């Protein structure tokens, strides 16, 4: 009898490898050669995790580490609701689902509104994992192109409408934005709202960086600020960056839409519960005084300003000054930024040090876009950022010298 | 302009509500009336979490709770590999992916091998959440019916082959089995193996209860014991029951199939990492001496024997004596076991106490099957199990009295 062959899923083939992590083997090799690598490639803050979060782990005192409720422990759902109430929103604990990181929040939100073949609009460049989450449920991210040339401006209502098909189910955006640092202004939010109302779309709003805004004139608008829009709005969030607790894996979905919440509840029941001690830690974090964040924001502002000053001095580098988050998309004077990123790790060092950046193309799904761009995460102390820009300047000169000679 | 309406995903509609949790509101109301509820409905062990696990949380000492590697911290991958090596398997850390609970392990395994419309064979009755995970990726669980009447015997090769279509991608089984307590014997394992080889299917093996086997004559066969079958085998596992650490949310996938592992790696990168402190706790658990488990197995054996003795005394109750895990499927002398489970919580108590059971129908997808069955989880101390069977006997008499009068 002829035996049939094993096959793998097509969905698996559609999930991209993380552009943030794919150069990791080269970085490991550089370290083995004794080179110090400044990691500006990954959004891992170096900010100390707040003491109440660490204490929650250290003080865990139950005898049995049992399952918790699927939608999260009541105390945490309440403290997340309070967090939003402080911003003037009428969020109740029933409107909050605790998730395994912001990742699961996005995944559940997409799963609640998309079937196979459905489409999600996302302004490009975008967080690469959005493609992965969509691919895992056989849905598709449709990019709304924007460009560094005009400061990544959101296209007009009519331009965006051209990308909407009968399969479009939602617009997903993030503000402050990874990877551009853009904060959506009120007019852009109104554009998204009108599109969602006109075409019957959900607006999935990734607000994990909402506190990371560095200029007083920049006003953050939450999706929950859009009055009368409650049924469309799905907010996804995480404690990872806000409380420097990436390893806790605690996020949340906030929505007033009961139908969406009922599906999220079913998805949540299937995976039983989020990590229990991590929820206690998150609860402690949300119960801190909001003033906790002020020195952190000041520190990130200094880092941004330091990075911007350093990049301004490098010939041929252009970029949009980020208003928030801790990323900057820069165009480099090279034809293939990924090749340059490899060069930085494999063939270059300055006084025994180099820099790891993320190639920009991984944040675009339009073929060919972003090839001369890199994402720089300013998650290190200012002296290291100064040094990193010096390394970058020297490396660019050396790389282009080699390239024109070659 | 006419506005389009918001819609929810069809996949969400296909995900069932957890049969284990859907009576929870009635249990909560009973407790508010002052009634003590013995929870025999949920697989939450009352066994104390081992001290090394609790200590790992209490001793967490990093300053920054940072992301870990997507596939798990190296030390835990290594200790999981060692666990399997102790059973004589050549598992290396590269064959191990750490997941967010056994739930994510199952979800990633299904996602690696299924596209929308694809089918997974599972012997019925089965763990209800398998349907949920399949529905979330628009795949479908196809039941292989078995019955209490013949001890839930696995049908023959040829009978099972009738359920296989071009869309079938895998057979998923669990041994020892939730909800029946069945342990698959070598002959049954060979049947599954031959089917998988003949039809090009993966064999996804849920081995979370492998230590929970109570009779010396019952031999456990791991999917990793099947020589020459390595490319077909995907083992899913969890620390939840083995180390009474349900709330940690740490599981694993073990497979020698590099193609499957590459897709799991991509899925894992998308969700960044499993909970970091939970991984340290799991690592501590796997590094305990295996003798840790002996008194626990003895305790569960006593509980099983106590439950079996108690049920044997109740007229009209029939069941298959479980060989492992900590569940028993019982047929009750009632036409609608879910109605009886509601009666237990809403309308009955004995000396201020009652029992919560899980209606059996939720473990079947064949319509009408299991309606007179319940799943009983023997996760309480023996005196409470004795009391629970007394309550059950009294409640059945009362319920049927009422029913025949009504």
């Amino acid at each position: 009898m002829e035996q049939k062959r094993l096959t793998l899923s097509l969905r698996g083939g559609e999930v991209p490898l993380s552009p943030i992590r794919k150069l990791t083997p080269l970085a490991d090799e550089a370290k083995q050669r004794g080179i110090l690598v400044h990691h500006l490639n990954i959004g891992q803050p170096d900010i100390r995790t707040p003491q109440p979060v660490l204490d929650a782990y250290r003080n865990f005192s139950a005898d049995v580490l049992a399952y918790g409720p699927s939608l999260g422990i009541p105390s945490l759902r309440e403290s997340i609701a309070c967090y939003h109430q402080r911003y003037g929103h009428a969020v109740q604990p029933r409107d909050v689902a605790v998730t395994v990181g912001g990742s699961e929040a996005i995944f559940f939100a997409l799963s609640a509104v998309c079937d196979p073949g459905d489409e999600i609009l996302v302004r490009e460049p975008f967080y690469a994992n959005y493609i992965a989450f969509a691919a895992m449920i056989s849905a598709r991210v449709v990019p709304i192109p924007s460009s560094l040339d005009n400061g990544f401006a959101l296209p007009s209502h009519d331009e965006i409408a051209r990308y909407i098909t009968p399969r479009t189910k939602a617009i997903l955006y993030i503000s402050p934005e990874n990877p551009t640092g853009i904060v959506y202004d009120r007019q852009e939010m109104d554009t998204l709202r009108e599109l969602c109302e006109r075409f019957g779309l959900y607006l999935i709003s990734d607000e994990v960086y909402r506190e990371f805004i560095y200029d007083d004139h920049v006003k953050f608008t939450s999706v929950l600020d859009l009055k009368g829009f409650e049924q469309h709005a799905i907010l996804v969030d995480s404690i990872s960056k806000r409380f420097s607790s990436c390893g806790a894996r605690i996020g949340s979905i906030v929505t007033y839409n009961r139908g969406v919440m009922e599906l999220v509840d079913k998805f949540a029941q299937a995976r039983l519960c989020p990590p229990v001690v991590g929820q206690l830690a998150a609860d402690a974090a949300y119960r801190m005084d909001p003033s906790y964040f002020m020195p952190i924001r000041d520190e990130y502002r200094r880092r941004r300003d330091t990075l911007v000053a350093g990049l301004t001095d490098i010939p041929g580098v252009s970029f949009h000054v980020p208003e928030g988050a801790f990323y900057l998309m820069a165009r480099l004077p090279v034809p293939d930024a990924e090749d340059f990123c490899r060069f930085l790790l494999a063939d270059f060092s300055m006084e025994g040090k180099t820099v790891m950046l993320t190639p920009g193309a991984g944040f675009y799904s339009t073929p060919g876009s972003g090839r001369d761009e890199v994402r720089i995460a300013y998650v290190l102390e200012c002296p290291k950022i100064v040094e990193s820009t010096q390394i970058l300047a020297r490396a660019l000169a050396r790389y282009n010298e080699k390239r024109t000679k070659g």
Side-chain angles (χ1 to χ4, degrees), chain A:
Chain A
M1 181 173 359
E2 197 197 356
Q3 292 194 352
K4 279 191 57 184
R5 281 185 45 227
L6 287 165
T7 57
L8 293 168
S9 68
L10 299 175
R11 85 175 76 238
E14 298 292 321
V15 174
L17 270 175
S18 166
I20 297 152
R21 296 183 180 225
K22 77 178 181 183
L23 299 180
T24 301
L26 288 182
D28 292 342
E29 284 166 34
K31 287 173 200 167
Q32 277 168 12
R33 293 196 308 274
I35 290 173
L36 179 74
V37 178
H38 288 317
H39 280 277
L40 298 180
N41 60 303
I42 191 161
Q44 167 60 61
D46 63 341
I47 301 291
R48 197 177 190 285
T49 303
Q51 199 58 42
V53 172
L54 298 174
D55 286 346
Y57 285 96
R58 290 171 192 159
N59 297 334
F60 180 65
S61 64
D63 283 340
V64 181
L65 180 48
Y67 290 122
S70 304
L71 288 178
I73 59 174
S75 158
L76 176 56
R77 294 175 76 187
E78 194 183 279
S79 61
I80 293 175
C82 284
Y83 166 85
H84 293 286
Q85 287 165 13
R86 280 207 300 270
Y87 288 114
H89 307 128
V91 174
Q92 299 301 314
R94 69 199 282 263
D95 306 318
V96 177
V98 179
T99 57
V100 184
S103 303
E104 189 181 72
I106 296 163
F107 185 71
F108 281 179
L110 295 182
S111 298
V113 307
C114 284
D115 283 311
D118 284 346
E119 296 166 2
I120 307 291
L121 293 190
V122 187
R123 182 253 285 275
E124 181 185 65
F126 53 76
Y127 177 51
N129 284 340
Y130 292 156
I131 295 187
F133 298 129
M136 285 185 73
I137 56 168
S138 308
R140 204 162 67 84
V141 166
V142 173
I144 307 169
S146 78
S147 167
L148 179 54
D149 297 324
N150 63 350
F152 299 111
L154 188 72
S156 69
H157 180 113
D158 289 346
E159 278 176 90
I160 296 174
R162 293 212 312 260
Y163 294 93
I164 294 174
T165 76
R167 301 308 303 262
T168 309
K169 291 299 161 64
I171 300 175
L172 166 58
Y173 77 101
I174 171 168
S175 175
E177 194 172 69
N178 172 7
T180 63
I182 296 272
V183 176
Y184 281 61
D185 65 23
R186 183 66 197 218
Q187 189 188 323
E188 290 170 317
M189 291 296 291
D190 285 338
T191 298
L192 296 180
R193 176 209 180 116
E194 286 156 19
L195 284 160
C196 289
E197 287 177 340
R198 178 173 161 202
F199 292 101
L201 309 179
Y202 292 94
L203 188 56
I204 303 174
S205 176
D206 186 337
E207 303 190 0
V208 301
Y209 297 104
R210 82 167 283 169
E211 284 83 2
F212 295 76
I213 295 180
Y214 310 119
D215 300 302
D216 291 339
H217 69 272
V218 174
K219 295 278 170 261
F220 175 76
T221 303
S222 167
V223 74
L224 301 181
D225 289 321
L226 305 177
K227 299 296 167 215
F229 189 65
E230 287 76 9
Q231 294 309 303
H232 294 259
I234 306 176
L235 188 157
V236 297
D237 206 349
S238 164
I239 68 161
S240 293
K241 320 289 175 168
R242 183 173 300 143
F243 301 118
S244 198
S245 302
C246 299
R249 311 313 299 130
I250 300 296
S252 59
I253 290 181
V254 176
T255 182
Y256 296 116
N257 184 310
R258 300 317 299 167
V260 170
M261 188 54 88
E262 274 166 33
L263 295 193
V264 168
D265 188 14
K266 292 205 284 181
F267 304 149
Q269 286 190 23
R271 61 81 168 117
L272 304 174
C273 69
V276 167
V277 191
Q279 290 186 76
L280 299 174
D283 194 23
Y286 275 106
R287 287 170 193 275
M288 289 190 300
D289 191 276
S291 63
Y292 148 79
F293 196 75
M294 289 181 192
I296 296 170
R297 183 176 49 199
D298 292 345
E299 170 63 17
Y300 275 109
R301 184 189 291 120
R302 279 190 296 273
R303 292 174 178 190
R304 181 200 60 174
D305 294 345
T306 303
L307 177 63
V308 164
L311 292 178
T312 304
D313 289 342
I314 306 179
V317 171
S318 58
F319 57 91
H320 175 79
V321 177
E323 294 145 359
F326 40 63
Y327 307 101
L328 178 149
M329 284 293 274
R331 178 169 294 151
L332 304 182
V334 300
D336 180 346
E338 180 166 332
D339 187 65
F340 175 68
C341 290
R342 292 179 186 279
F343 168 82
L344 274 170
L345 295 171
D347 304 309
F348 182 83
S349 66
M350 184 177 98
E351 294 161 19
K353 297 174 184 172
T354 192
V355 172
M356 186 170 182
L357 305 174
T358 307
F363 299 94
Y364 292 81
S365 65
T366 303
S369 289
R371 284 199 62 192
D372 56 357
E373 296 175 18
V374 289
R375 188 192 73 168
I376 305 175
Y378 44 100
V379 290
L380 301 180
E381 292 152 8
C382 288
K384 290 179 183 164
I385 292 179
V386 170
E387 197 169 71
S388 295
T389 53
Q390 289 165 348
I391 291 169
L392 185 59
R394 184 87 64 91
L396 278 169
R398 178 86 51 85
Y399 179 81
N400 278 329
E401 208 178 278
K402 239 181 90 174
R403 198 165 58 85
T404 47
K405 272 189 196 162

